[in-house]
Structures are given as C-alpha cells and as structure tokens.
Amino acid sequence: MDHHRQPIVAGNWKMNGTVPFARELTRSLRDGLTGQTDTEIVLCPPFTALDAVARELEGSTLLLGAQNLSERPAGAFTGEIAAEQLASLQVRYVIVGHSERRQYHQESDALVARKAAAAFAAGLTPIVCLGETLEEREAGNTEQIVGRQLTGSLAGLAAEQIVQCVLAYEPVWAIGTGKTASAAQAQSVHAFLRARLTENHGLETAAAVRIQYGGSVKPDNARELLTQPDVDGALVGGASLKADSFSAIIRHSA
Ligand code: PEP
C-alpha cells in the first residue's frame, strides 16, 4: 500500500480582487511555479474571476478551484452557482464549509455534505473545511467538535468519493488573525482526524486522504507546519494574494 500523499496547497482569495488583479496575480504565479514543484497548486479566485484565471492557466500545471457552490444541480435559485457551471469553467476543486460560510451563512455539516456530493456529481473535488473556535478549544472540546464536523460533513458520500476528498483543518481562531496553530497543535488535530477517518472508513482510505492546514500560514511558518507527518499541504488566505508569499509557501511544501 502506497501511503505517499501528494502535497496540495490552495490559495483562497476570498472576496478580493477585480478581474485585472486576478489576471496579474495568476500570470506571476504561473510563470514562477509551472513545473517547478511536485506540489499540487490550486488557485481559488472569486466566481467573477474564474474565467479569466482559467484562461491564464491554460497549459500550466496550476489548477483552478472555486470557493463555494450550490448544493443543487440547477434551477430557480437566484444568485447561486451550480457545480456543473463551475466544471464548465475548468474548475477542478471547490472549497466547501469554510468557517466564514459556516459562521456568516449558517452552513451546517449536513449542508456541507450535500455540497460535497453536488461537487462530486459534476466531477469536482471538494476541499472540506472544519475547525474549532477559540471558545471550543479553551473548553477542551477541539476533538469533539472536529470529530463531529468530520463525520457530518462527509455524511452520505460513497467510499470512492471519501478517498478523493481533501480536508482542511482550519482552527477558526487562526484564520486571518495572524495567530497560527503551533506545528504540534496542528499535527495533533490532523492525527486525530486521520484516526477518526480510520474508524469511519478504514485504514486504506484514511492513509490516502490529504489533510491541509489553514490559518495564517505565511512563508516563515510554512516549513514547520508542512513538514508534520499528517499535514499534507495548506489552505492559504491572506498570503495567497501576493505572488511572492504564496510561492514561498509552496516551495516549503514539497
Ligand atoms: C482561510 O481563509 O482559509 C485562511 C486560512 O485564511 P488566512 O490564511 O488569511 O488565515
């Protein structure tokens, strides 16, 4: 059984950047990174820039991701975006259950699981986010919370889908705050998640699933985090908006 997991680093641009900004950033990243690393690199611009970024990425090894999708396939859902529409823009990955969506849009584990299923139905791979708040960590409930999020957010997926999922452990208190989990804190939760995956889905699946760390990853903390045995890459917010910092993080990942 081969347990090698290809590192995966994704940049979550959030609600930042116009189309010209997105083009410019993508060109710099593409020219600096194509073929340079064994790490899978995913850019997740806002919906409005997906098409422009897709065009810039043609012929490069960098992949395109979206930040959200509808759980429904099509229809009268004004303002929503369906998986098939993303797939038609060369999108390969889609972030689901980001803490900002859980917090500001009341996304539940059950909804996240339906979004992950909708992604797979159109051939997209979900990046399923989970993580505890500061209050939950201080109350000693981190494992209980992330364990419940893990089981709930993957509910109903087929075994062959679970194995393809990318998980992102993102402690809410570390997102956009400049506070990073220590490498030991991250490794401990990642190992817990892999053990829970083993219980729920078996050893082989658990050994194959990639688990990213996210939360104020920067060039100067990336190496320590990304060399932990159960940390298989990073989901990067703020530092993904600059070509030099995102590239430096990627260079620390392989
Ligand atoms: C994120 O939003 O996924 C994230 C990790 O943000 P930041 O890197 O800015 O903390």
Side-chain angles (χ1 to χ4, degrees):
M1 200 165 28
D2 181 6
H3 288 175
H4 176 73
R5 296 182 291 269
Q6 186 186 18
I8 176 165
V9 175
N12 173 16
W13 298 3
K14 310 194 187 191
M15 196 173 72
N16 292 298
T18 58
V19 168
F21 170 88
R23 273 201 200 103
E24 189 60 37
L25 178 55
T26 304
R27 279 184 198 140
S28 309
L29 290 169
R30 174 197 67 197
D31 295 346
L33 289 168
T34 292
Q36 291 297 302
T37 146
D38 293 333
T39 297
E40 200 167 13
I41 303 165
V42 186
L43 307 186
C44 305
F47 290 131
T48 47
L50 284 170
D51 188 43
V53 172
R55 287 165 200 266
E56 296 298 335
L57 289 182
E58 266 174 39
S60 104
T61 52
L62 279 59
L63 299 173
L64 189 60
Q67 299 173 17
N68 182 32
L69 82 170
S70 171
E71 74 274 27
R72 298 192 170 90
F77 302 102
T78 301
E80 294 293 292
I81 309 271
E84 187 184 30
Q85 296 171 321
L86 297 175
S88 75
L89 288 170
Q90 323 307 325
V91 170
R92 300 275 297 276
Y93 284 94
V94 59
I95 298 170
V96 296
H98 190 278
S99 65
E100 288 153 16
R101 302 230 35 108
R102 292 179 184 264
Q103 192 179 344
Y104 307 134
H105 300 272
Q106 288 73 46
E107 294 199 1
S108 63
D109 292 331
L111 177 63
V112 173
R114 290 199 297 277
K115 289 188 174 199
F120 279 121
L124 306 179
T125 300
I127 298 176
V128 180
C129 302
L130 41 85
E132 82 288 358
T133 64
L134 185 58
E135 208 181 4
E136 289 161 344
R137 173 164 285 264
E138 287 178 345
N141 293 334
T142 297
E143 293 191 349
Q144 185 199 325
I145 295 293
V146 299
R148 189 175 69 210
Q149 289 173 331
L150 178 72
T151 303
S153 303
L154 302 181
L157 296 180
E160 61 270 21
Q161 295 174 330
I162 305 262
V163 76
Q164 287 176 56
C165 281
V166 176
L167 298 179
Y169 168 56
E170 299 205 305
V172 176
W173 49 271
I175 295 180
T177 58
K179 287 187 194 147
T180 317
S182 67
Q185 283 173 323
Q187 168 56 27
S188 161
V189 177
H190 282 229
F192 169 81
L193 290 169
R194 206 175 300 284
R196 182 56 62 88
L197 282 170
T198 305
E199 279 168 39
N200 292 355
H201 308 288
L203 237 169
E204 203 162 336
T205 296
V209 170
R210 293 178 295 176
I211 310 177
Q212 297 175 313
Y213 170 78
S216 299
V217 176
K218 310 282 178 221
D220 63 359
N221 60 27
R223 185 184 297 279
E224 220 202 330
L225 287 159
L226 292 169
T227 49
Q228 300 302 309
D230 288 293
V231 177
D232 307 308
L235 182 53
V236 184
S240 73
L241 291 168
K242 289 199 174 120
D244 55 355
S245 53
F246 190 57
S247 303
I249 290 167
I250 288 161
R251 280 193 287 273
H252 289 308
S253 67

Coordinates of all heavy atoms in Angstrom, one line a residue, residues 1-9 37-40 93 162-167 186-187 190-195 197-198 202-213 225-234 253-254:
M1 N 0.8 -1.2 0.0 CA 0.0 0.0 0.0 C 0.9 1.2 0.0 O 1.8 1.4 0.8 CB -0.9 0.0 1.2 CG -2.1 0.8 1.1 SD -3.4 0.5 2.4 CE -2.5 -0.1 3.8
D2 N 0.6 2.1 -1.0 CA 1.4 3.3 -1.0 C 0.8 4.5 -0.3 O -0.3 4.9 -0.6 CB 1.6 3.7 -2.5 CG 2.4 5.0 -2.7 OD1 3.0 5.4 -1.7 OD2 2.5 5.5 -3.8
H3 N 1.4 4.9 0.8 CA 0.8 6.0 1.6 C 1.3 7.4 1.2 O 1.1 8.3 1.9 CB 1.1 5.7 3.1 CG 0.3 4.6 3.6 ND1 0.4 4.1 4.8 CD2 -0.7 3.8 3.0 CE1 -0.4 3.0 5.0 NE2 -1.1 2.9 3.9
H4 N 2.1 7.4 0.1 CA 2.5 8.8 -0.3 C 1.4 9.7 -0.7 O 0.5 9.3 -1.5 CB 3.5 8.7 -1.5 CG 3.9 10.0 -2.0 ND1 4.8 10.8 -1.3 CD2 3.5 10.8 -3.0 CE1 4.9 12.0 -1.9 NE2 4.2 12.0 -3.0
R5 N 1.3 10.8 -0.1 CA 0.2 11.7 -0.4 C 0.9 13.0 -1.0 O 1.7 13.6 -0.5 CB -0.5 12.1 0.9 CG -1.3 11.0 1.5 CD -2.1 11.4 2.8 NE -1.2 11.8 3.8 CZ -0.8 11.0 4.8 NH1 -1.1 9.7 4.8 NH2 0.0 11.5 5.8
Q6 N 0.4 13.3 -2.3 CA 1.0 14.5 -2.9 C 0.5 15.7 -2.2 O -0.7 15.9 -1.9 CB 0.5 14.5 -4.4 CG 1.1 15.7 -5.2 CD 0.6 15.9 -6.6 OE1 -0.5 15.4 -6.9 NE2 1.3 16.6 -7.4
P7 N 1.5 16.6 -1.8 CA 1.1 17.8 -1.1 C 0.2 18.7 -2.0 O 0.3 18.7 -3.2 CB 2.4 18.5 -0.9 CG 3.5 17.5 -1.1 CD 2.9 16.5 -2.0
I8 N -0.8 19.3 -1.4 CA -1.7 20.2 -2.1 C -1.8 21.6 -1.3 O -2.1 21.6 -0.2 CB -3.1 19.6 -2.3 CG1 -4.0 20.5 -2.9 CG2 -3.6 19.0 -1.0 CD1 -5.3 19.9 -3.5
V9 N -1.4 22.6 -2.0 CA -1.5 24.0 -1.5 C -2.5 24.8 -2.3 O -2.4 24.8 -3.5 CB -0.2 24.7 -1.5 CG1 -0.3 26.1 -1.0 CG2 0.8 23.9 -0.6
T37 N 7.5 22.3 -9.1 CA 7.3 21.6 -7.8 C 6.4 20.4 -7.9 O 5.6 20.3 -8.9 CB 6.7 22.6 -6.7 OG1 5.8 21.9 -5.9 CG2 5.9 23.7 -7.4
D38 N 6.5 19.5 -7.0 CA 5.7 18.3 -7.0 C 4.4 18.5 -6.3 O 3.5 17.7 -6.2 CB 6.4 17.1 -6.3 CG 7.6 16.7 -7.1 OD1 7.6 16.9 -8.3 OD2 8.6 16.2 -6.5
T39 N 4.2 19.7 -5.8 CA 3.0 20.1 -5.0 C 1.9 20.4 -6.0 O 2.1 21.1 -7.0 CB 3.3 21.3 -4.1 OG1 4.3 20.9 -3.2 CG2 2.1 21.8 -3.4
E40 N 0.7 19.9 -5.7 CA -0.5 20.3 -6.5 C -0.9 21.7 -6.0 O -1.0 22.0 -4.8 CB -1.6 19.3 -6.2 CG -2.7 19.3 -7.2 CD -3.6 18.1 -7.1 OE1 -3.6 17.4 -6.1 OE2 -4.4 17.9 -8.1
Y93 N -11.5 21.9 -8.3 CA -11.7 21.8 -6.8 C -12.7 22.9 -6.4 O -12.8 23.9 -7.1 CB -10.4 22.1 -6.1 CG -9.4 20.9 -6.1 CD1 -8.4 20.9 -7.1 CD2 -9.5 19.9 -5.2 CE1 -7.5 19.8 -7.1 CE2 -8.6 18.8 -5.2 CZ -7.6 18.8 -6.2 OH -6.7 17.8 -6.2
I162 N -15.0 9.6 -0.7 CA -14.3 10.0 0.6 C -12.8 10.0 0.3 O -12.0 10.9 0.7 CB -14.6 9.0 1.7 CG1 -16.1 8.9 1.9 CG2 -13.8 9.4 3.0 CD1 -16.7 9.7 3.0
V163 N -12.3 9.0 -0.4 CA -10.9 8.8 -0.6 C -10.3 9.9 -1.4 O -9.1 10.3 -1.2 CB -10.5 7.4 -1.2 CG1 -10.9 7.3 -2.6 CG2 -9.1 7.0 -0.9
Q164 N -11.1 10.5 -2.2 CA -10.6 11.7 -3.0 C -10.7 13.0 -2.3 O -10.1 14.0 -2.8 CB -11.5 11.8 -4.3 CG -11.3 10.7 -5.3 CD -12.2 10.8 -6.5 OE1 -12.3 11.9 -7.1 NE2 -13.0 9.8 -6.7
C165 N -11.6 13.1 -1.3 CA -11.8 14.4 -0.6 C -10.5 15.0 -0.1 O -9.6 14.2 0.3 CB -12.7 14.2 0.6 SG -14.4 14.1 0.2
V166 N -10.4 16.3 -0.2 CA -9.3 17.0 0.6 C -9.9 17.6 1.8 O -11.0 18.2 1.7 CB -8.6 18.0 -0.3 CG1 -7.6 18.8 0.5 CG2 -8.0 17.4 -1.6
L167 N -9.3 17.4 3.0 CA -9.8 18.0 4.2 C -8.9 19.2 4.5 O -7.7 19.2 4.2 CB -9.8 17.1 5.4 CG -10.6 15.8 5.3 CD1 -10.4 15.0 6.5 CD2 -12.1 16.2 5.1
A186 N -1.2 21.6 15.3 CA -1.8 21.2 14.0 C -1.6 19.7 13.8 O -2.6 19.0 13.5 CB -1.1 21.9 12.9
Q187 N -0.4 19.1 14.1 CA -0.2 17.7 13.9 C -1.1 16.9 14.8 O -1.7 15.9 14.3 CB 1.3 17.4 14.2 CG 1.6 15.9 14.3 CD 1.2 15.1 13.1 OE1 1.1 15.6 12.0 NE2 1.0 13.8 13.3
H190 N -4.6 16.9 13.2 CA -4.5 16.1 11.9 C -4.5 14.6 12.2 O -5.1 13.8 11.5 CB -3.3 16.5 11.1 CG -3.5 17.8 10.3 ND1 -3.3 18.0 9.0 CD2 -4.0 19.0 10.8 CE1 -3.5 19.2 8.6 NE2 -4.0 19.9 9.7
A191 N -3.6 14.2 13.2 CA -3.5 12.8 13.5 C -4.9 12.3 14.1 O -5.3 11.2 13.8 CB -2.4 12.6 14.6
F192 N -5.5 13.1 14.9 CA -6.9 12.8 15.4 C -7.8 12.6 14.2 O -8.6 11.6 14.2 CB -7.4 13.9 16.3 CG -8.8 13.7 16.7 CD1 -9.2 12.7 17.7 CD2 -9.8 14.3 16.0 CE1 -10.6 12.5 17.9 CE2 -11.2 14.1 16.3 CZ -11.5 13.2 17.3
L193 N -7.8 13.5 13.3 CA -8.7 13.4 12.1 C -8.5 12.1 11.3 O -9.4 11.4 10.9 CB -8.6 14.6 11.2 CG -9.2 15.9 11.8 CD1 -8.8 17.1 10.9 CD2 -10.7 15.8 11.9
R194 N -7.2 11.8 11.2 CA -6.8 10.6 10.4 C -7.3 9.3 11.2 O -7.8 8.4 10.6 CB -5.3 10.5 10.0 CG -5.1 9.7 8.8 CD -3.6 9.8 8.3 NE -3.1 11.1 8.0 CZ -3.4 11.8 6.9 NH1 -4.2 11.2 6.0 NH2 -2.9 12.9 6.6
A195 N -7.2 9.4 12.5 CA -7.6 8.2 13.3 C -9.1 8.1 13.2 O -9.7 7.0 13.0 CB -7.2 8.4 14.7
L197 N -10.9 9.1 10.6 CA -11.2 8.6 9.3 C -11.0 7.0 9.2 O -11.7 6.3 8.6 CB -10.2 9.2 8.3 CG -10.5 10.6 7.8 CD1 -9.3 11.2 7.0 CD2 -11.8 10.7 6.9
T198 N -9.9 6.6 10.0 CA -9.7 5.1 10.0 C -10.9 4.4 10.6 O -11.4 3.4 10.1 CB -8.4 4.8 10.8 OG1 -7.3 5.6 10.3 CG2 -8.1 3.3 10.8
G202 N -11.9 3.1 7.4 CA -10.8 2.1 7.2 C -9.5 2.7 6.9 O -9.4 3.9 6.6
L203 N -8.5 1.9 7.2 CA -7.1 2.4 7.2 C -6.6 2.9 5.8 O -5.9 3.9 5.7 CB -6.2 1.2 7.6 CG -5.2 1.4 8.8 CD1 -4.6 0.1 9.2 CD2 -4.2 2.5 8.4
E204 N -7.0 2.1 4.8 CA -6.5 2.5 3.4 C -7.0 3.9 3.0 O -6.3 4.7 2.5 CB -7.0 1.4 2.4 CG -6.1 1.4 1.2 CD -6.3 0.1 0.5 OE1 -6.7 -0.9 1.1 OE2 -6.0 0.1 -0.7
T205 N -8.3 4.1 3.3 CA -8.9 5.4 2.9 C -8.2 6.5 3.8 O -7.8 7.6 3.3 CB -10.4 5.4 3.2 OG1 -11.0 4.5 2.3 CG2 -11.0 6.8 3.0
A206 N -8.1 6.3 5.1 CA -7.5 7.3 6.0 C -6.1 7.6 5.6 O -5.7 8.8 5.7 CB -7.6 6.8 7.4
A207 N -5.4 6.6 5.1 CA -4.0 6.9 4.7 C -3.9 7.7 3.4 O -2.8 8.3 3.1 CB -3.2 5.5 4.6
A208 N -4.9 7.7 2.6 CA -4.9 8.3 1.3 C -5.4 9.8 1.4 O -5.0 10.6 0.5 CB -5.7 7.5 0.3
V209 N -6.3 10.1 2.3 CA -6.9 11.4 2.3 C -5.9 12.5 2.7 O -5.2 12.3 3.7 CB -8.1 11.4 3.3 CG1 -8.6 12.8 3.5 CG2 -9.2 10.5 2.8
R210 N -5.9 13.5 1.9 CA -5.0 14.6 2.2 C -5.7 15.6 3.1 O -6.8 16.0 2.9 CB -4.5 15.3 0.9 CG -3.7 14.3 0.1 CD -3.2 14.9 -1.2 NE -4.4 15.2 -2.1 CZ -4.3 15.7 -3.3 NH1 -3.1 16.2 -3.7 NH2 -5.3 15.9 -4.1
I211 N -4.9 16.0 4.1 CA -5.4 17.0 5.1 C -4.5 18.2 5.1 O -3.4 18.2 5.5 CB -5.5 16.4 6.5 CG1 -6.2 15.0 6.5 CG2 -6.2 17.4 7.5 CD1 -6.2 14.3 7.9
Q212 N -5.1 19.4 4.7 CA -4.4 20.6 4.7 C -4.6 21.3 6.0 O -5.6 21.2 6.7 CB -5.0 21.6 3.6 CG -4.9 21.1 2.2 CD -5.6 22.1 1.2 OE1 -6.8 22.5 1.5 NE2 -5.0 22.4 0.1
Y213 N -3.6 22.1 6.4 CA -3.7 23.0 7.5 C -4.0 24.4 7.0 O -3.4 24.8 6.0 CB -2.5 23.1 8.4 CG -2.6 24.2 9.4 CD1 -3.4 24.0 10.5 CD2 -2.0 25.4 9.1 CE1 -3.5 25.1 11.4 CE2 -2.2 26.5 10.0 CZ -2.9 26.3 11.1 OH -3.2 27.4 12.0
L225 N 5.1 23.8 9.7 CA 3.7 23.2 9.7 C 3.7 22.1 8.6 O 3.2 21.0 8.9 CB 2.7 24.3 9.3 CG 2.4 25.3 10.5 CD1 1.8 26.5 9.9 CD2 1.4 24.6 11.5
L226 N 4.3 22.4 7.5 CA 4.1 21.5 6.3 C 5.0 20.3 6.4 O 4.8 19.3 5.6 CB 4.3 22.2 5.0 CG 3.2 23.3 4.8 CD1 3.6 24.2 3.6 CD2 1.9 22.6 4.4
T227 N 5.9 20.2 7.3 CA 6.7 19.0 7.5 C 6.2 18.1 8.5 O 6.8 17.0 8.8 CB 8.2 19.4 7.8 OG1 8.2 20.3 8.9 CG2 8.9 20.0 6.6
Q228 N 5.1 18.4 9.2 CA 4.4 17.5 10.1 C 3.9 16.3 9.3 O 3.4 16.4 8.2 CB 3.3 18.2 10.9 CG 3.7 19.4 11.7 CD 4.8 19.0 12.7 OE1 4.6 18.1 13.5 NE2 5.9 19.7 12.7
P229 N 4.0 15.1 9.9 CA 3.7 13.9 9.1 C 2.2 13.8 8.6 O 2.0 13.2 7.6 CB 4.0 12.7 10.1 CG 4.2 13.3 11.5 CD 4.6 14.8 11.2
D230 N 1.3 14.4 9.3 CA -0.1 14.3 8.9 C -0.6 15.6 8.2 O -1.8 15.7 8.0 CB -1.0 13.9 10.0 CG -0.8 12.4 10.4 OD1 -1.1 11.6 9.5 OD2 -0.2 12.1 11.4
V231 N 0.3 16.5 8.0 CA -0.1 17.8 7.3 C 0.4 17.6 5.9 O 1.5 17.5 5.6 CB 0.6 19.0 8.0 CG1 0.3 20.3 7.3 CG2 0.2 19.1 9.5
D232 N -0.6 17.6 5.0 CA -0.4 17.3 3.6 C -0.5 18.5 2.7 O -0.6 18.4 1.5 CB -1.3 16.2 3.1 CG -1.3 15.0 4.0 OD1 -0.2 14.5 4.3 OD2 -2.4 14.6 4.5
G233 N -0.4 19.7 3.3 CA -0.5 20.9 2.5 C -1.1 22.0 3.2 O -1.3 21.9 4.5
A234 N -1.5 23.1 2.6 CA -2.0 24.3 3.3 C -3.1 24.9 2.4 O -3.2 24.8 1.2 CB -0.9 25.3 3.5
S253 N 6.5 23.3 0.8 CA 5.5 22.2 0.9 C 6.0 20.9 0.4 O 5.4 19.9 0.8 CB 4.2 22.6 0.2 OG 4.4 22.7 -1.2
A254 N 6.9 20.8 -0.4 CA 7.2 19.5 -1.1 C 8.3 18.7 -0.3 O 9.0 19.3 0.5 CB 7.7 19.8 -2.5

